[in-house]
Amino acid sequence: DIVVDGRKVSGNAQKRRKYAILHHGTLLYAMAPEGMARYLREPADRPDYRGERTHSDFVRTLPFDAATLRSAVRAAFNVTAEKTEPLPEELAQAQELVETKYGTEAWSRRR
């Protein structure tokens, strides 16, 4: 987690393999934390600094819009490449994954 003034503004995860690490993170903005209580279970394993606070009491959003956050991340990682559109075959593969996996009821309710 990344926490500002005791409240979470970013959740992160890692997958580690022998020769690779995948790090995934979110930056929370323009989101209603109270909606999290409706869709997410409260975690059993909580960091000490969270205490017993609910999602609504623990999570906050950053006071920036998407463009500002995108610029900050690009600057932090020294990204110089221009934005490109996905190739047609990439879009087709993504759509296939939605239809066969990520868009299914079984995937959404797997826990």
Side-chain angles (χ1 to χ4, degrees), residues 1-2 10-16 20-26 77:
D1 294 342
I2 298 175
S10 175
N12 297 268
Q14 286 187 354
K15 185 75 167 186
R16 298 176 187 203
I21 296 175
L22 172 65
H23 184 91
H24 170 266
T26 61
F77 287 96

Side-chain angles (χ1 to χ4, degrees), residues 25-80:
T26 61
L27 294 173
L28 302 174
Y29 73 97
M31 182 221 33
E34 56 276 359
M36 295 177 75
R38 180 174 178 193
Y39 299 105
L40 298 175
R41 294 182 193 145
E42 291 291 337
D45 185 21
R46 299 167 182 247
D48 290 340
Y49 61 87
R50 179 181 179 143
E52 294 300 314
R53 292 183 286 175
T54 64
H55 290 308
S56 296
D57 292 332
F58 178 58
V59 176
R60 69 176 266 193
T61 60
L62 292 166
F64 306 109
D65 62 20
T68 301
L69 289 170
R70 196 169 17 257
S71 293
V73 170
R74 288 175 63 89
F77 287 96
N78 196 28
V79 174
T80 57

